[in-house]
DNA sequence: CGACATCTTGATGCGGCTCAAGGCCGGTGG
DNA sequence: CCACCGGCCTTGAGCCGCATCAAGATGTCG
């Protein structure tokens, strides 16, 4: 994995990498101007393009940085002692992966679901954000991350498979909306197996739920997308 | 709720409130000395004693602070739209409650499970921790909090009620150990209903699991405690 | 076109939810 | 001090939903 700072920002009149980034409106750089905008990419290194299935980090790595998804998407997983994996989250641009520590390094691993990039912020550089003027954004992002985890908790504590699936769709939909994308079409670069695992159910149960919802016209489900046809009705479940 | 800073620290040769606090070894003040130890209680306000059932904060309050449990214990809950509550966590001394934001204020509420106290750190004062020398402790605590949330996720994603209960016991046990208390006796100031809710199962299912485990001698369960008699066997489940 | 992964659909059994009744304990009042 | 009451927890019976096992359908890539 190649990581690269943007030392050139400010030279040749350029505002730097962040100014040109499509994800900027939902990233740390959102409200920055001029000088600050130029200095941020000097604090945060951007990854080269990760291919599908490539690890952003692995369980056991030193956990000394936060990662902001710039393009593409990631999943995180932890392996329990018995060897079975648990998908703990999906991440789309603007969201942050970080800080899941065990006694020796990270507890979870992060894998690209499609060609993706991310920006790295070392823990040691967090305070430097203050001088750039986006430390409050940083805290905001951490809060959003925590809210996302709690949402997942709520989804998992639903008793029925149907309710968990609906929770997943609506949460995902809201996140796409925050990103400024269509909220009625959910791209699914992850496999059904991953979604089922994330929702704490079996592949078959998930398939039955999607089939049932498709039949009654609530959703249209294909391999690559889930389309919400009637999100109002979904929201009542 | 009465909140009080310790402005007197440093006067009369006193090292201040934190120096005398029983929870200090697992709190922000853990490694502080002299000056720093005196200044911390000037940044963090301590609550008066909260009675059982009293709210530390409520859903809808402005979320502008972190709360460190000083004595006693708390539970947090969120109310879903349909009015049914979900217990999202239990907190013992040294653990931090914070930052669950909705569009307007907090999403969750926090209630004392027994007479309890907590210390408040305003979001605006987080940076001031740097000059006291315990900002890294603060980040450490945030990380621990996140790990705790992920643990809960893993517990909830277990398919069987039995496995979820074991997960609860072992996680609780580890937290007591970190606090320097006995790890084989789990105090249960919360009701069975709360535990069952937290574990995403019914009261009856929880009761059946505890009965079964009691019969085979794995635990001894009373109204106020759960005693782990064979945590090695439990750990294999 | 064939081989493999991925997803769907079907049949069956078990676990946990629901509803209901009974025990345990602390509190209150006579 | 005891009788009664009301939470809280336990235990039981029946049923539904999901996991499991198994086979078939669909899609993908060499």
């Amino acid at each position: 994995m190649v990581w690269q700072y943007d030392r050139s920002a400010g030279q040749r009149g350029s505002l730097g990498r962040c100014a040109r980034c499509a994800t900027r409106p939902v990233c740390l750089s959102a409200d920055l101007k001029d000088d600050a905008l130029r200095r941020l990419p000097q604090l945060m290194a951007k990854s080269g393009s990760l291919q599908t299935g490539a690890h952003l980090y692995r369980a056991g790595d030193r956990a000394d940085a936060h990662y902001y998804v710039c393009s593409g998407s990631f999943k995180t997983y932890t392996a329990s002692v018995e060897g079975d994996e648990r998908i703990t989250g999906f991440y789309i641009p603007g969201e942050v992966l970080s800080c899941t520590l065990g006694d020796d390094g990270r507890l979870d691993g992060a894998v690209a679901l499609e060609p993706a990039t991310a920006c790295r912020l070392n823990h040691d550089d967090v305070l430097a954000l203050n001088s750039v003027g986006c430390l409050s954004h940083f805290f905001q992002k951490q809060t959003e991350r925590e809210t996302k985890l709690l949402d997942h908790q709520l989804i998992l504590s639903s008793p029925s498979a149907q309710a968990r699936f609906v929770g997943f769709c609506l949460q995902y939909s809201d996140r796409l909306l925050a990103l400024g994308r269509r909220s009625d079409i959910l791209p699914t670069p992850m496999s059904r197996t991953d979604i089922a695992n994330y929702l704490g159910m079996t592949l078959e149960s998930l398939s039955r739920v999607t089939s049932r919802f498709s039949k009654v016209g609530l959703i249209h489900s294909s391999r690559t997308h889930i389309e919400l046809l009637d999100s109002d009705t979904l929201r009542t479940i």
Side-chain angles (χ1 to χ4, degrees), chain A:
Chain A
M1 176 75 313
V2 181
W3 291 92
Q4 202 168 306
Y5 290 93
D6 185 0
R7 303 291 186 199
S8 72
Q11 302 170 4
R12 307 181 311 270
S14 161
L15 282 173
R17 187 214 311 140
C18 287
R20 299 187 300 270
C21 180
T23 306
R24 185 184 161 202
V26 291
C27 198
L28 291 184
S29 53
D31 299 325
L32 298 186
K33 294 204 187 66
D34 304 336
D35 246 30
L37 194 53
R38 271 189 285 267
R39 281 158 59 200
L40 189 58
Q42 300 173 8
L43 279 177
M44 299 178 69
K46 183 169 180 176
S47 74
S49 180
L50 287 126
Q51 293 310 303
T52 304
H55 274 79
L56 180 60
Y57 54 79
R58 292 169 188 276
D61 284 359
R62 273 194 60 199
D64 51 3
H66 304 273
Y67 298 90
Y68 292 83
V69 180
C70 187
S71 67
S73 54
F74 294 89
K75 70 175 177 185
T76 52
Y77 65 91
T78 60
S80 64
V81 244
E82 308 92 49
D84 53 340
E85 290 186 353
R86 285 265 156 225
I87 304 297
T88 54
F90 301 114
Y91 295 83
I92 60 177
E95 299 182 328
V96 54
L97 300 89
S98 59
C99 269
T100 317
L101 284 170
D103 290 337
D104 30 46
R106 291 189 179 278
L107 276 179
D108 62 344
V111 174
L113 292 167
E114 56 194 317
T117 56
C119 291
R120 191 186 64 198
L121 174 67
N122 288 326
H123 284 164
D124 295 339
D125 293 331
V126 169
L127 275 186
L129 289 180
N130 196 32
S131 66
V132 180
C134 63
L135 188 60
S136 63
H137 264 81
F138 169 80
F139 283 124
Q140 173 67 22
K141 280 287 166 197
Q142 292 300 110
T143 300
E144 284 172 16
R145 175 177 162 78
E146 201 163 299
T147 303
K148 185 156 166 283
L149 290 182
L150 280 169
D151 272 351
H152 189 201
Q153 274 188 10
L154 286 180
I155 289 171
L156 282 174
S157 65
S158 298
S160 79
Q162 172 171 307
R164 289 206 287 276
F165 175 71
V166 170
F168 167 74
C169 290
L170 296 180
Q171 191 216 25
Y172 195 178
S173 175
D174 287 346
R175 285 159 56 201
L176 287 172
L177 198 63
L179 191 52
R181 300 195 183 160
R182 296 189 60 162
S183 65
D184 58 338
I185 294 186
L186 316 178
T188 50
M190 68 295 269
S191 70
R192 298 302 165 104
T193 309
D194 282 343
I195 299 179
N197 189 321
Y198 173 76
L199 294 176
M201 65 177 93
T202 59
L203 176 60
E204 295 95 324
S205 293
L206 176 63
S207 181
R208 277 178 236 278
V209 172
T210 55
S211 298
R212 201 172 338 134
F213 281 1
S214 291
K215 275 207 187 80
V216 297
L218 280 175
I219 65 172
H220 178 70
S221 140
S222 84
R223 189 167 299 250
T224 55
H225 295 85
I226 297 172
E227 192 176 351
L228 307 184
L229 301 175
D230 186 353
S231 56
D232 291 340
T233 305
L234 281 178
R235 229 165 266 276
T236 63
I237 301 180

